[in-house]
Amino acid sequence: MPDLSALLSPASVAVIGASPDLAGLRGRTLKVMLRHPYRGRVYPVSRSHASVQGLQAYPSIDKVPERVDLAVLIVPARFVPEELERCGRAGVKAALILASGFAEDGNESGAALQGRVAESARRYDMAVCGPNAEGFANLALGLCATFSPVLEESNQFVSSGSAQGRIAVVSQSGGVGFSFLDRGWPKGLAFSHVVSTGNEGCLESFDIVEHLLDEGSAEVFVVFLESIRNARTFRRVAGKALAAGKPIVVAKIGDSEPGRRAAASHTAALAGAGASYRAMFRRYGVIEGADTDEILDIAAAFACFGKRLPRGRRVGIATASGGAGGWMADACAAAGLQVPELEREARARIDAHLPSYGTSQNPVDGTAQAIRTIGYCELARLVSLSERVDAVIAVVTARNAEVFQRERESLGRLARETPKPILMWSYTLPSAETARIVAEAGFPLYTDMRNCARALAALADYAEVQKEQTKTAPDPTEKSPSKSSLDRIGALLESAGPVLCEYEATPLLAEYGIHMMEASLVSTAQEAIAAASALGGGPVALKVQSPQIPHKTDAGAVALGVRGAEAIERAYENVLAAARRVPGAGIRGVLVQAMAPPGVEMLLGIHRDATFGPMLTVALGGIYVEVLRDAALAPVPVAREDARRLIATLRGKALLKNGDTEALIGLVVALSRFAVDHGERIESLDLNPVIVHPAPGGVSAVDALVVKRQDSPG
């Protein structure tokens, strides 16, 4: 990995293509840099001018009087590879490419230009950001290498919210990235960096996040994503951030077809499957936000209370307005939070300060009288002392700063001494002075009650994920097969055709303790009758085995609950006749299988995501698959606690109330192990249906289908 310090914290910068014309991007970029307090050395490079904006200019990078750390390239795209080569030969350590006209153009010439940029970056081990970037701002260093109008117009550098942790923004879209800064400053948020990565021809978003994480300059990361290009980098960095307790809050576009088109046309990125992204985010505690304000409001909560996370989801609401307090209680419930009635002791402490028409049950309505006598801070503190709450939302009116000016010292003391998070929601628009006072004290101030509740829920969710990380170690009794078994399974997969029918998949799965219902493959009606008799004479299923008929029910190539010799013979002929009507179907035989006892039908599957590799799916089966589409995804490996949580996220989990969920969890873990060991060879694997019997009756895997990767090692 090249030196990203040279990119984001350079001691010297050359601006290649600098211009005195302040109306164009080449002039504006240098202008923005010079109007901010960067103390490093800045060298304009221009073939047309001896000086630019009051600085001596140099005709080429090799004429600059020192070896610079960073070169900012704002020349037309066709000249960028040539200039980057000159930078490499001159010993430049990093480059920022602001020019567009590369892979995002969707043509071969643009992609070729971007390829040459990446080749030069590798050859000279340069940290190259872009192309098609909008630059970056290192706010602590005072360096704004960008043409963003946010920094062209604003000179507000360090937020007054010094009691808050700093936020770093990393965005594939420069415009969106700097919008977080523009909308965050009025909220009193403190920022360390804004970095736009553009097409990510060399460095990716999570390369930047990792550098800033290691550097320790930010406590919270806001990331605007169009795609993740390297899943391994994401896993490493997201895991590192979670272990460090530094949350990542993301905006991910591309869930809709128009959004995917926009991503592809903007940075030539493939947006990826939304469900897989969400599963990866859940695994690593990455919080997804819906829009700019929600993301900033979530980030604000972590900036203030990331080191004092709530122990649970119980909220105390302290308010001077009964109506606003009740409204906030509804918002909390909608966000999955609880608003419990306070215990008698807590209520007694609060009641001593309330008028007769106030209430301490929760929400605690102190009325305007209590605010005049004890203030917002004391009311919130008293509520926080309750053993039944894990956090507090103080409902305030912040329109007039006078109250908060009086409580300035109390606010600071409350922020320092109260171990539970306290968030503030103003049901009136706050004055700028109030926002400044509250931010200086170290509290987030919200104007959107849903965002306030959502931010508190995000704090609670993150605390739960951190706890869960200690419980996800694999069970030592749940081991993969021996090396010889693994080699044998690999050889069988390699020799098999593109699709493995159930009879072919059964012995492979059995090595992992995944046992299908007992069955025999037959090729005549008389063999089918004999196989049914050997299975005990009970009702059986007859299923045609053909790689070209993966969905046997749709083709009429399956018969269920068949009993008796005459019925079996008739069913055998019927399913074969149906299969023969499928063009090009190669028929391997008919599987005669014992019918499973009744239970809840589930679907378990593995599919290969183009970005993240094998993903495991748990879903309600049968009619629920198509009607409810109730499914949960997780990246493999999946430990027992992961599987338990995955099942708990299903909307229809109540159907499993009396089922043998422990056996289902064991099956999920076993399937996960299969995917870990052989995921490089398979595109998908379905166990559908899996019947979950009433506890302790176990589970029955009734059908299996494996589709190999076309480009797999086998």
Side-chain angles (χ1 to χ4, degrees):
M1 177 62 69
D3 181 12
L4 269 67
S5 294
L7 172 67
L8 298 176
S9 303
S12 54
V13 182
V15 182
I16 300 176
S19 168
D21 179 9
L22 302 184
L25 295 185
R26 294 191 296 153
R28 283 170 52 194
T29 301
L30 182 60
K31 172 191 171 186
V32 171
M33 289 179 62
L34 296 180
R35 77 184 304 269
H36 292 299
Y38 174 57
R39 296 186 178 181
R41 297 169 298 283
V42 178
Y43 300 101
V45 174
S46 171
R47 296 181 181 180
S48 308
H49 302 88
S51 67
V52 177
Q53 299 185 36
L55 296 177
Q56 180 181 346
Y58 300 87
S60 62
I61 186 65
D62 55 316
K63 303 300 183 182
V64 172
E66 67 169 303
R67 181 180 295 181
V68 300
D69 288 335
L70 170 65
V72 178
L73 277 67
I74 46 175
V75 296
R78 66 183 183 276
F79 300 128
V80 166
E82 178 184 333
E83 290 293 348
L84 198 61
E85 277 290 314
R86 290 196 185 96
C87 289
R89 291 194 296 269
V92 175
K93 299 175 184 177
L96 169 64
I97 303 175
L98 303 182
S100 56
F102 293 85
E104 81 280 2
D105 276 1
N107 54 47
E108 291 184 7
S109 61
L113 284 174
Q114 190 161 307
R116 290 173 61 191
V117 165
E119 184 181 337
S120 293
R122 286 191 295 270
R123 182 182 305 116
Y124 296 105
D125 195 29
M126 270 192 291
V128 176
C129 184
N132 189 30
E134 197 168 316
F136 71 86
N138 180 333
L139 299 173
L141 195 63
L143 174 60
C144 297
T146 178
F147 52 83
S148 170
V150 173
L151 287 162
E152 184 178 16
E153 299 298 328
S154 175
N155 202 29
Q156 180 180 356
F157 242 63
V158 178
S159 168
S160 59
S162 58
Q164 302 179 10
R166 294 188 179 273
I167 299 167
V169 178
V170 181
S171 174
Q172 286 178 269
S173 164
V176 171
F178 285 102
S179 77
F180 286 111
L181 191 68
D182 196 33
R183 298 172 78 96
W185 270 334
K187 294 175 181 285
L189 301 182
F191 292 86
S192 67
H193 297 78
V194 178
V195 183
S196 75
T197 56
N199 289 6
E200 299 189 353
C202 304
L203 293 172
E204 303 172 24
S205 295
F206 283 94
D207 293 325
I208 305 294
V209 172
E210 184 169 33
H211 171 76
L212 298 178
L213 186 63
D214 292 342
E215 186 182 72
S217 56
E219 297 301 315
V220 184
F221 293 89
V222 168
V223 180
F224 180 85
L225 280 176
E226 296 175 12
S227 68
I228 289 174
R229 297 174 187 264
N230 189 315
R232 183 175 299 177
T233 300
F234 169 79
R235 289 175 186 264
R236 182 183 70 249
V237 177
K240 184 187 291 189
L242 181 60
K246 296 193 173 185
I248 299 171
V249 188
V250 303
K252 169 66 179 73
I253 71 166
D255 249 7
S256 66
E257 178 57 33
R260 285 188 287 273
R261 289 200 305 269
S265 63
H266 180 226
T267 61
L270 294 175
S276 295
Y277 273 87
R278 285 188 287 274
M280 294 299 294
F281 293 161
R282 282 193 299 271
R283 170 63 61 88
Y284 292 100
V286 174
I287 304 111
E288 191 170 8
D291 56 46
T292 308
D293 286 329
E294 182 181 91
I295 288 169
L296 286 171
D297 283 343
I298 292 170
F302 281 104
C304 293
F305 296 110
K307 303 303 180 186
R308 285 181 286 170
L309 296 172
R311 295 183 178 181
R313 309 183 73 82
R314 303 171 302 172
V315 186
I317 298 173
T319 179
S321 165
W327 208 0
M328 175 55 75
D330 289 343
C332 287
L337 300 168
Q338 302 155 17
V339 185
E341 186 172 348
L342 304 187
E343 71 274 20
R344 182 168 45 189
E345 295 79 7
R347 293 189 65 178
R349 286 192 298 267
I350 295 168
D351 284 338
H353 303 282
L354 300 188
S356 59
Y357 47 88
T359 177
S360 59
Q361 59 184 0
N362 197 24
V364 175
D365 182 9
T367 75
Q369 181 173 325
I371 300 307
R372 282 195 298 270
T373 55
I374 64 173
Y376 286 121
C377 290
E378 181 62 11
L379 186 61
R381 187 189 72 84
L382 289 171
V383 174
S384 75
L385 295 177
S386 169
E387 295 178 357
R388 294 185 180 176
V389 304
D390 304 301
V392 175
I393 293 177
V395 179
V396 305
T397 172
R399 193 73 183 92
N400 191 322
E402 184 179 346
V403 173
F404 293 88
Q405 289 168 343
R406 288 200 306 267
E407 293 198 44
R408 191 191 301 266
E409 290 187 13
S410 298
L411 280 165
R413 186 165 56 251
L414 185 66
R416 291 190 302 271
E417 298 177 1
T418 305
K420 298 176 182 178
I422 299 177
L423 281 62
M424 293 187 179
W425 168 54
S426 177
Y427 52 87
T428 55
L429 288 175
S431 68
E433 175 67 6
T434 304
R436 186 181 63 80
I437 292 171
V438 173
E440 284 180 348
F443 290 108
L445 178 63
Y446 297 92
T447 57
D448 186 311
M449 65 177 169
R450 292 180 183 83
N451 284 2
C452 182
R454 169 77 175 93
L456 185 51
L459 291 176
D461 291 342
Y462 192 75
E464 289 173 4
V465 173
Q466 284 194 313
K467 291 176 187 175
E468 289 164 2
Q469 295 308 298
T470 64
K471 302 177 183 178
T472 56
D475 186 330
T477 64
E478 296 171 344
K479 297 179 180 177
S480 292
S482 65
K483 185 179 185 305
S484 60
S485 293
L486 290 173
D487 291 342
R488 183 169 64 255
I489 294 169
L492 288 170
L493 281 170
E494 184 174 351
S495 61
V499 177
L500 280 71
C501 300
E502 181 179 348
Y503 80 94
E504 296 173 289
T506 294
L508 308 184
L509 296 170
E511 295 280 358
Y512 288 80
I514 302 172
H515 299 291
M516 309 299 297
M517 291 294 295
E518 189 176 357
S520 295
L521 185 69
V522 301
S523 56
T524 68
Q526 292 307 307
E527 288 180 2
I529 294 168
S533 177
L535 290 171
V540 295
L542 278 70
K543 301 185 284 188
V544 171
Q545 301 293 283
S546 169
Q548 289 76 37
I549 310 178
H551 304 294
K552 296 179 286 293
T553 301
D554 294 345
V558 61
L560 302 177
V562 185
R563 189 171 193 166
E566 185 178 340
I568 291 171
E569 182 176 6
R570 186 166 57 251
Y572 180 89
E573 297 299 338
N574 287 341
V575 297
L576 271 184
R580 288 170 180 146
R581 289 194 290 271
V582 177
I587 298 171
R588 308 279 183 81
V590 175
L591 199 66
V592 180
Q593 185 179 66
M595 292 292 294
V600 179
E601 289 191 18
M602 302 290 292
L603 178 152
L604 270 60
I606 299 291
H607 79 276
R608 182 170 187 82
D609 183 82
T611 301
F612 301 112
M615 305 290 292
L616 185 143
T617 299
V618 178
L620 288 173
I623 63 169
Y624 298 107
V625 171
E626 297 300 327
V627 176
L628 298 182
R629 298 191 179 276
D630 190 5
L633 272 70
V636 301
V638 175
R640 290 192 71 87
E641 287 301 318
D642 295 323
R644 193 182 310 281
R645 289 190 293 271
L646 197 64
I647 293 167
T649 64
L650 294 172
R651 297 190 302 276
K653 58 182 177 292
L655 295 172
L656 296 168
K657 180 179 179 181
N658 299 318
D660 196 340
T661 53
E662 291 304 313
L664 178 61
I665 287 168
L667 183 58
V668 170
V669 173
L671 187 62
S672 164
R673 291 202 312 274
F674 185 93
V676 169
D677 292 340
H678 307 290
E680 290 302 311
R681 296 180 183 273
I682 64 172
E683 186 66 30
S684 64
L685 189 164
D686 284 343
L687 300 179
N688 181 29
V690 170
I691 311 295
V692 182
H693 306 298
V699 296
S700 298
V702 175
D703 204 346
L705 177 71
V706 177
V707 178
K708 288 173 53 177
R709 287 182 65 191
Q710 294 303 303
D711 56 347
S712 72

